[in-house]
Amino acid sequence: MPSQPSAGSRVVRTAAIALVASLLSPVHVHASEGSDDHSAGSQIAKHEGTGEMLMTPPDLGVDNVGRVDGIDVSSHQGDVDWGHWWRAGKRFVYIKATEGTGYRNPKFTQQYNGSAAVGMIRGSYHFALPNRSDGATQARFFVQNGGGWSRDGRTLPGTLDIEYNPYGGDTCYGLTPAAMVNWIRSFSDTYHALTKRWPVIYTSTLWWDKCTGRSGDFSSTNPLWLARYAASVGPMPYKWPVHTIWQFTSSPIDQNVFNGGADRLAALASG
């Protein structure tokens, strides 16, 4: 009768089998394909810092009249407890739908429908990768995968999230200011043609002014959603006289304040 292997040899054999299995298993590499899930402001926080980030909603005046609080989410938040955030006073939300032309938020349905079910006004956003495909192509992908708009009084126009390149290299994706302005305009014009709404533009002043070269005027068509993690909203990007939404913190979740009362938020949703 053959002798039984010792406990030590069994451990070594098991480890060897596991190593071979791991080498044969498919490896999912996201960075080169642009399929990672980058949330709104993730790259702004990385490049611009959060040293002065507010930890509570900002005080905008006596009794905070003329404001609505909201949040934004991506798949990083998983299945969101929408009742919790409603009870915390959040009345609107933006939900990541897409990135480039290769990523769709797997939690989008739970987040989009769940937020509406508790009474929130909601919209969706697209994380732009301008060096991967043209603006029109990404706008179509966005609209086809959750970025549309309907005149139901509770759907905000879609947002173009354009910020620092998350894959390293040039922060402006290798585009000249003129090419960047053309890319953004192509996205915006295509989204408008498909939905009859101009998309909100999410960005930071530092990134925008650097990568557009302070050229191109979107202020008369596209509402501004400004990211700045500091005690005040700070200066506006080129040509915008005022912001529509301010993302002021990412703790404990991305939090935003709408620059106006509930009636103005409803007007933005209704078109």
Side-chain angles (χ1 to χ4, degrees), residues 175-184 211-213 215:
L175 274 62
T176 65
M180 183 63 76
V181 168
N182 288 338
W183 195 98
I184 296 167
C211 293
T212 67
S215 61

Side-chain angles (χ1 to χ4, degrees), residues 7-254:
S9 65
R10 287 198 300 270
V11 170
V12 171
R13 184 178 180 184
T14 300
I17 292 172
L19 175 60
V20 170
S22 68
L23 292 173
L24 294 175
S25 298
V27 177
H28 301 286
V29 179
H30 296 296
S32 63
E33 298 299 325
S35 57
D36 276 354
D37 179 13
H38 298 98
S39 59
S42 58
Q43 305 310 301
I44 295 171
K46 178 180 178 180
H47 287 266
E48 298 181 15
T50 59
E52 298 179 64
M53 185 169 66
L54 295 176
M55 302 306 291
T56 59
D59 183 359
L60 301 181
V62 178
D63 298 325
N64 286 321
V65 173
R67 64 173 291 158
V68 187
D69 291 315
I71 58 175
D72 61 271
V73 299
S74 67
S75 71
H76 291 289
Q77 281 70 47
D79 292 335
V80 177
D81 181 352
W82 291 108
H84 166 80
W85 292 110
W86 179 266
R87 291 188 296 273
K90 310 306 181 183
R91 294 297 180 260
F92 74 94
V93 61
Y94 265 103
I95 297 152
K96 181 173 181 178
T98 51
E99 179 172 330
T101 56
Y103 175 85
R104 292 173 290 183
N105 178 3
K107 294 296 183 179
F108 182 79
T109 298
Q110 189 276 344
Q111 294 173 348
Y112 195 76
N113 294 341
S115 57
V118 299
M120 288 188 185
I121 295 177
R122 81 289 199 243
S124 53
Y125 74 87
H126 172 79
F127 193 102
L129 297 177
N131 59 342
R132 300 297 174 90
S133 55
D134 59 71
T137 298
Q138 293 194 29
R140 288 191 291 268
F141 181 74
F142 178 43
V143 171
Q144 292 164 1
N145 293 282
W149 176 79
S150 58
R151 196 183 296 275
D152 58 9
R154 61 180 186 175
T155 304
L156 294 164
T159 289
L160 170 63
D161 173 0
I162 190 154
E163 54 185 278
Y164 297 85
N165 184 354
Y167 298 105
D170 183 71
T171 60
C172 302
Y173 300 86
L175 274 62
T176 65
M180 183 63 76
V181 168
N182 288 338
W183 195 98
I184 296 167
R185 198 170 302 285
S186 175
F187 184 102
S188 180
D189 288 349
T190 302
Y191 187 87
H192 183 265
L194 293 172
T195 67
K196 310 307 178 188
R197 296 298 307 273
W198 295 105
V200 175
I201 291 178
Y202 170 98
T203 194
S204 77
T205 298
L206 290 177
W207 184 91
W208 183 270
D209 286 354
K210 172 181 172 62
C211 293
T212 67
R214 292 182 58 81
S215 61
D217 184 0
F218 294 86
S219 64
S220 63
T221 52
N222 303 82
L224 172 65
W225 178 5
L226 187 67
R228 186 169 190 259
Y229 311 121
S232 65
V233 69
M236 297 296 106
Y238 179 69
K239 286 295 187 180
W240 270 289
V242 67
H243 68 286
T244 297
I245 301 171
W246 172 24
Q247 185 191 63
F248 62 89
T249 186
S250 59
S251 179
I253 196 169
D254 287 353

